[in-house]
PDB file of all heavy atoms in Angstrom:
ATOM      1  N   GLY U 330      53.523-114.036 -74.842  1.00 94.00           N
ATOM      2  CA  GLY U 330      52.502-113.744 -73.834  1.00 94.00           C
ATOM      3  C   GLY U 330      51.138-113.510 -74.457  1.00 94.00           C
ATOM      4  O   GLY U 330      50.121-114.000 -73.970  1.00 94.00           O
ATOM      5  N   ARG U 331      51.124-112.791 -75.573  1.00 92.00           N
ATOM      6  CA  ARG U 331      49.834-112.496 -76.242  1.00 92.00           C
ATOM      7  C   ARG U 331      49.142-113.769 -76.689  1.00 92.00           C
ATOM      8  O   ARG U 331      47.920-113.876 -76.676  1.00 92.00           O
ATOM      9  CB  ARG U 331      50.082-111.609 -77.460  1.00 92.00           C
ATOM     10  CG  ARG U 331      50.218-110.159 -77.083  1.00 92.00           C
ATOM     11  CD  ARG U 331      50.937-109.359 -78.114  1.00 92.00           C
ATOM     12  NE  ARG U 331      50.352-109.449 -79.450  1.00 92.00           N
ATOM     13  CZ  ARG U 331      50.194-108.398 -80.252  1.00 92.00           C
ATOM     14  NH1 ARG U 331      50.517-107.215 -79.812  1.00 92.00           N
ATOM     15  NH2 ARG U 331      49.729-108.550 -81.458  1.00 92.00           N
ATOM     16  N   HIS U 332      49.941-114.754 -77.118  1.00 93.00           N
ATOM     17  CA  HIS U 332      49.324-115.974 -77.658  1.00 93.00           C
ATOM     18  C   HIS U 332      49.140-117.056 -76.593  1.00 93.00           C
ATOM     19  O   HIS U 332      48.376-117.987 -76.808  1.00 93.00           O
ATOM     20  CB  HIS U 332      50.136-116.465 -78.857  1.00 93.00           C
ATOM     21  CG  HIS U 332      50.007-115.508 -80.007  1.00 93.00           C
ATOM     22  ND1 HIS U 332      48.984-115.596 -80.913  1.00 93.00           N
ATOM     23  CD2 HIS U 332      50.713-114.396 -80.325  1.00 93.00           C
ATOM     24  CE1 HIS U 332      49.085-114.579 -81.762  1.00 93.00           C
ATOM     25  NE2 HIS U 332      50.129-113.847 -81.426  1.00 93.00           N
ATOM     26  N   LEU U 333      49.813-116.847 -75.461  1.00 90.00           N
ATOM     27  CA  LEU U 333      49.633-117.772 -74.329  1.00 90.00           C
ATOM     28  C   LEU U 333      48.179-117.735 -73.857  1.00 90.00           C
ATOM     29  O   LEU U 333      47.598-118.747 -73.488  1.00 90.00           O
ATOM     30  CB  LEU U 333      50.571-117.311 -73.199  1.00 90.00           C
ATOM     31  CG  LEU U 333      51.009-118.302 -72.144  1.00 90.00           C
ATOM     32  CD1 LEU U 333      51.647-119.512 -72.783  1.00 90.00           C
ATOM     33  CD2 LEU U 333      52.021-117.634 -71.204  1.00 90.00           C
ATOM     34  N   VAL U 334      47.607-116.539 -73.922  1.00 86.00           N
ATOM     35  CA  VAL U 334      46.226-116.361 -73.456  1.00 86.00           C
ATOM     36  C   VAL U 334      45.298-117.343 -74.184  1.00 86.00           C
ATOM     37  O   VAL U 334      44.512-118.054 -73.569  1.00 86.00           O
ATOM     38  CB  VAL U 334      45.756-114.908 -73.723  1.00 86.00           C
ATOM     39  CG1 VAL U 334      44.370-114.688 -73.167  1.00 86.00           C
ATOM     40  CG2 VAL U 334      46.742-113.935 -73.141  1.00 86.00           C
ATOM     41  N   GLY U 335      45.408-117.395 -75.492  1.00 86.00           N
ATOM     42  CA  GLY U 335      44.540-118.268 -76.289  1.00 86.00           C
ATOM     43  C   GLY U 335      44.755-119.740 -75.980  1.00 86.00           C
ATOM     44  O   GLY U 335      43.830-120.544 -76.063  1.00 86.00           O
ATOM     45  N   ALA U 336      46.003-120.088 -75.630  1.00 86.00           N
ATOM     46  CA  ALA U 336      46.305-121.500 -75.374  1.00 86.00           C
ATOM     47  C   ALA U 336      45.784-121.928 -74.007  1.00 86.00           C
ATOM     48  O   ALA U 336      45.304-123.039 -73.843  1.00 86.00           O
ATOM     49  CB  ALA U 336      47.815-121.730 -75.445  1.00 86.00           C
ATOM     50  N   VAL U 337      45.871-121.017 -73.020  1.00 87.00           N
ATOM     51  CA  VAL U 337      45.514-121.410 -71.652  1.00 87.00           C
ATOM     52  C   VAL U 337      44.010-121.267 -71.405  1.00 87.00           C
ATOM     53  O   VAL U 337      43.381-122.107 -70.774  1.00 87.00           O
ATOM     54  CB  VAL U 337      46.300-120.571 -70.616  1.00 87.00           C
ATOM     55  CG1 VAL U 337      45.916-120.957 -69.199  1.00 87.00           C
ATOM     56  CG2 VAL U 337      47.794-120.750 -70.821  1.00 87.00           C
ATOM     57  N   ILE U 338      43.449-120.161 -71.950  1.00 83.00           N
ATOM     58  CA  ILE U 338      42.046-119.912 -71.620  1.00 83.00           C
ATOM     59  C   ILE U 338      41.157-120.445 -72.728  1.00 83.00           C
ATOM     60  O   ILE U 338      41.068-119.867 -73.813  1.00 83.00           O
ATOM     61  CB  ILE U 338      41.813-118.415 -71.351  1.00 83.00           C
ATOM     62  CG1 ILE U 338      42.661-118.054 -70.131  1.00 83.00           C
ATOM     63  CG2 ILE U 338      40.354-118.092 -71.083  1.00 83.00           C
ATOM     64  CD1 ILE U 338      43.374-116.801 -70.254  1.00 83.00           C
ATOM     65  N   LYS U 339      40.527-121.568 -72.459  1.00 81.00           N
ATOM     66  CA  LYS U 339      39.657-122.167 -73.475  1.00 81.00           C
ATOM     67  C   LYS U 339      38.210-122.008 -72.990  1.00 81.00           C
ATOM     68  O   LYS U 339      37.591-120.999 -73.246  1.00 81.00           O
ATOM     69  CB  LYS U 339      40.032-123.635 -73.681  1.00 81.00           C
ATOM     70  CG  LYS U 339      41.479-123.800 -74.203  1.00 81.00           C
ATOM     71  CD  LYS U 339      41.484-124.436 -75.579  1.00 81.00           C
ATOM     72  CE  LYS U 339      42.719-124.135 -76.400  1.00 81.00           C
ATOM     73  NZ  LYS U 339      43.962-124.728 -75.948  1.00 81.00           N
ATOM     74  N   ASP U 340      37.714-122.998 -72.226  1.00 75.00           N
ATOM     75  CA  ASP U 340      36.306-122.903 -71.845  1.00 75.00           C
ATOM     76  C   ASP U 340      36.113-122.762 -70.344  1.00 75.00           C
ATOM     77  O   ASP U 340      35.012-122.827 -69.848  1.00 75.00           O
ATOM     78  CB  ASP U 340      35.539-124.132 -72.366  1.00 75.00           C
ATOM     79  CG  ASP U 340      36.192-125.420 -71.896  1.00 75.00           C
ATOM     80  OD1 ASP U 340      37.270-125.335 -71.264  1.00 75.00           O
ATOM     81  OD2 ASP U 340      35.637-126.498 -72.146  1.00 75.00           O
ATOM     82  N   ASN U 341      37.224-122.530 -69.622  1.00 82.00           N
ATOM     83  CA  ASN U 341      37.088-122.437 -68.175  1.00 82.00           C
ATOM     84  C   ASN U 341      37.530-121.042 -67.708  1.00 82.00           C
ATOM     85  O   ASN U 341      38.717-120.726 -67.720  1.00 82.00           O
ATOM     86  CB  ASN U 341      37.953-123.529 -67.533  1.00 82.00           C
ATOM     87  CG  ASN U 341      37.713-123.642 -66.053  1.00 82.00           C
ATOM     88  OD1 ASN U 341      37.260-122.683 -65.425  1.00 82.00           O
ATOM     89  ND2 ASN U 341      38.001-124.800 -65.491  1.00 82.00           N
ATOM     90  N   PRO U 342      36.569-120.180 -67.288  1.00 83.00           N
ATOM     91  CA  PRO U 342      36.925-118.793 -66.932  1.00 83.00           C
ATOM     92  C   PRO U 342      37.914-118.727 -65.774  1.00 83.00           C
ATOM     93  O   PRO U 342      38.676-117.763 -65.675  1.00 83.00           O
ATOM     94  CB  PRO U 342      35.582-118.163 -66.550  1.00 83.00           C
ATOM     95  CG  PRO U 342      34.529-119.185 -66.785  1.00 83.00           C
ATOM     96  CD  PRO U 342      35.144-120.487 -67.138  1.00 83.00           C
ATOM     97  N   ASP U 343      37.940-119.761 -64.908  1.00 89.00           N
ATOM     98  CA  ASP U 343      38.881-119.757 -63.775  1.00 89.00           C
ATOM     99  C   ASP U 343      40.332-119.762 -64.245  1.00 89.00           C
ATOM    100  O   ASP U 343      41.234-119.329 -63.529  1.00 89.00           O
ATOM    101  CB  ASP U 343      38.662-121.001 -62.905  1.00 89.00           C
ATOM    102  CG  ASP U 343      37.506-120.785 -61.955  1.00 89.00           C
ATOM    103  OD1 ASP U 343      37.019-119.633 -61.896  1.00 89.00           O
ATOM    104  OD2 ASP U 343      37.096-121.766 -61.311  1.00 89.00           O
ATOM    105  N   ASP U 344      40.563-120.305 -65.452  1.00 91.00           N
ATOM    106  CA  ASP U 344      41.936-120.385 -65.962  1.00 91.00           C
ATOM    107  C   ASP U 344      42.544-118.996 -66.159  1.00 91.00           C
ATOM    108  O   ASP U 344      43.758-118.831 -66.067  1.00 91.00           O
ATOM    109  CB  ASP U 344      41.975-121.189 -67.272  1.00 91.00           C
ATOM    110  CG  ASP U 344      41.831-122.683 -67.021  1.00 91.00           C
ATOM    111  OD1 ASP U 344      41.888-123.085 -65.835  1.00 91.00           O
ATOM    112  OD2 ASP U 344      41.663-123.438 -67.989  1.00 91.00           O
ATOM    113  N   LEU U 345      41.690-118.006 -66.454  1.00 91.00           N
ATOM    114  CA  LEU U 345      42.199-116.639 -66.618  1.00 91.00           C
ATOM    115  C   LEU U 345      42.783-116.157 -65.283  1.00 91.00           C
ATOM    116  O   LEU U 345      43.873-115.585 -65.246  1.00 91.00           O
ATOM    117  CB  LEU U 345      41.083-115.714 -67.112  1.00 91.00           C
ATOM    118  CG  LEU U 345      41.482-114.258 -67.311  1.00 91.00           C
ATOM    119  CD1 LEU U 345      42.617-114.138 -68.338  1.00 91.00           C
ATOM    120  CD2 LEU U 345      40.296-113.413 -67.770  1.00 91.00           C
ATOM    121  N   LYS U 346      42.053-116.434 -64.195  1.00 92.00           N
ATOM    122  CA  LYS U 346      42.540-116.021 -62.859  1.00 92.00           C
ATOM    123  C   LYS U 346      43.878-116.708 -62.564  1.00 92.00           C
ATOM    124  O   LYS U 346      44.801-116.110 -62.021  1.00 92.00           O
ATOM    125  CB  LYS U 346      41.523-116.445 -61.788  1.00 92.00           C
ATOM    126  CG  LYS U 346      40.293-115.575 -61.751  1.00 92.00           C
ATOM    127  CD  LYS U 346      39.477-115.922 -60.496  1.00 92.00           C
ATOM    128  CE  LYS U 346      37.994-115.766 -60.812  1.00 92.00           C
ATOM    129  NZ  LYS U 346      37.140-116.800 -60.275  1.00 92.00           N
ATOM    130  N   LYS U 347      43.953-118.006 -62.944  1.00 93.00           N
ATOM    131  CA  LYS U 347      45.178-118.758 -62.647  1.00 93.00           C
ATOM    132  C   LYS U 347      46.359-118.201 -63.446  1.00 93.00           C
ATOM    133  O   LYS U 347      47.479-118.109 -62.944  1.00 93.00           O
ATOM    134  CB  LYS U 347      44.971-120.241 -62.968  1.00 93.00           C
ATOM    135  CG  LYS U 347      43.964-120.878 -62.021  1.00 93.00           C
ATOM    136  CD  LYS U 347      43.647-122.296 -62.399  1.00 93.00           C
ATOM    137  CE  LYS U 347      42.560-122.861 -61.492  1.00 93.00           C
ATOM    138  NZ  LYS U 347      42.011-124.113 -61.961  1.00 93.00           N
ATOM    139  N   LEU U 348      46.093-117.828 -64.685  1.00 93.00           N
ATOM    140  CA  LEU U 348      47.177-117.279 -65.511  1.00 93.00           C
ATOM    141  C   LEU U 348      47.619-115.907 -64.974  1.00 93.00           C
ATOM    142  O   LEU U 348      48.814-115.606 -64.913  1.00 93.00           O
ATOM    143  CB  LEU U 348      46.722-117.182 -66.974  1.00 93.00           C
ATOM    144  CG  LEU U 348      47.805-116.839 -67.982  1.00 93.00           C
ATOM    145  CD1 LEU U 348      48.939-117.864 -67.978  1.00 93.00           C
ATOM    146  CD2 LEU U 348      47.234-116.740 -69.406  1.00 93.00           C
ATOM    147  N   LYS U 349      46.638-115.096 -64.548  1.00 93.00           N
ATOM    148  CA  LYS U 349      46.972-113.777 -63.979  1.00 93.00           C
ATOM    149  C   LYS U 349      47.834-113.968 -62.729  1.00 93.00           C
ATOM    150  O   LYS U 349      48.818-113.265 -62.521  1.00 93.00           O
ATOM    151  CB  LYS U 349      45.692-113.033 -63.592  1.00 93.00           C
ATOM    152  CG  LYS U 349      45.013-112.362 -64.768  1.00 93.00           C
ATOM    153  CD  LYS U 349      43.775-111.635 -64.276  1.00 93.00           C
ATOM    154  CE  LYS U 349      43.091-110.906 -65.406  1.00 93.00           C
ATOM    155  NZ  LYS U 349      41.752-110.449 -65.046  1.00 93.00           N
ATOM    156  N   HIS U 350      47.446-114.960 -61.914  1.00 94.00           N
ATOM    157  CA  HIS U 350      48.192-115.244 -60.689  1.00 94.00           C
ATOM    158  C   HIS U 350      49.633-115.632 -61.044  1.00 94.00           C
ATOM    159  O   HIS U 350      50.596-115.194 -60.414  1.00 94.00           O
ATOM    160  CB  HIS U 350      47.480-116.377 -59.922  1.00 94.00           C
ATOM    161  CG  HIS U 350      48.194-116.800 -58.684  1.00 94.00           C
ATOM    162  ND1 HIS U 350      48.977-117.926 -58.628  1.00 94.00           N
ATOM    163  CD2 HIS U 350      48.264-116.236 -57.460  1.00 94.00           C
ATOM    164  CE1 HIS U 350      49.486-118.032 -57.424  1.00 94.00           C
ATOM    165  NE2 HIS U 350      49.067-117.025 -56.691  1.00 94.00           N
ATOM    166  N   TYR U 351      49.788-116.439 -62.079  1.00 95.00           N
ATOM    167  CA  TYR U 351      51.137-116.858 -62.508  1.00 95.00           C
ATOM    168  C   TYR U 351      51.963-115.621 -62.914  1.00 95.00           C
ATOM    169  O   TYR U 351      53.126-115.493 -62.546  1.00 95.00           O
ATOM    170  CB  TYR U 351      51.013-117.849 -63.678  1.00 95.00           C
ATOM    171  CG  TYR U 351      52.353-118.332 -64.188  1.00 95.00           C
ATOM    172  CD1 TYR U 351      53.131-119.229 -63.451  1.00 95.00           C
ATOM    173  CD2 TYR U 351      52.875-117.869 -65.400  1.00 95.00           C
ATOM    174  CE1 TYR U 351      54.364-119.654 -63.894  1.00 95.00           C
ATOM    175  CE2 TYR U 351      54.105-118.300 -65.861  1.00 95.00           C
ATOM    176  CZ  TYR U 351      54.844-119.189 -65.106  1.00 95.00           C
ATOM    177  OH  TYR U 351      56.073-119.611 -65.548  1.00 95.00           O
ATOM    178  N   PHE U 352      51.326-114.715 -63.659  1.00 95.00           N
ATOM    179  CA  PHE U 352      52.039-113.503 -64.072  1.00 95.00           C
ATOM    180  C   PHE U 352      52.405-112.656 -62.848  1.00 95.00           C
ATOM    181  O   PHE U 352      53.525-112.160 -62.748  1.00 95.00           O
ATOM    182  CB  PHE U 352      51.172-112.673 -65.042  1.00 95.00           C
ATOM    183  CG  PHE U 352      51.446-113.005 -66.484  1.00 95.00           C
ATOM    184  CD1 PHE U 352      50.956-114.175 -67.054  1.00 95.00           C
ATOM    185  CD2 PHE U 352      52.211-112.165 -67.284  1.00 95.00           C
ATOM    186  CE1 PHE U 352      51.209-114.494 -68.380  1.00 95.00           C
ATOM    187  CE2 PHE U 352      52.481-112.476 -68.611  1.00 95.00           C
ATOM    188  CZ  PHE U 352      51.976-113.642 -69.158  1.00 95.00           C
TER     189      PHE U 352
END
Side-chain angles (χ1 to χ4, degrees):
R331 278 159 55 137
H332 292 273
L333 203 55
V334 184
V337 179
I338 297 137
K339 298 243 156 69
D340 55 355
N341 189 337
D343 278 352
D344 285 350
L345 179 60
K346 285 190 214 139
K347 293 174 184 168
L348 189 59
K349 279 181 178 167
H350 177 259
Y351 180 73
F352 267 76

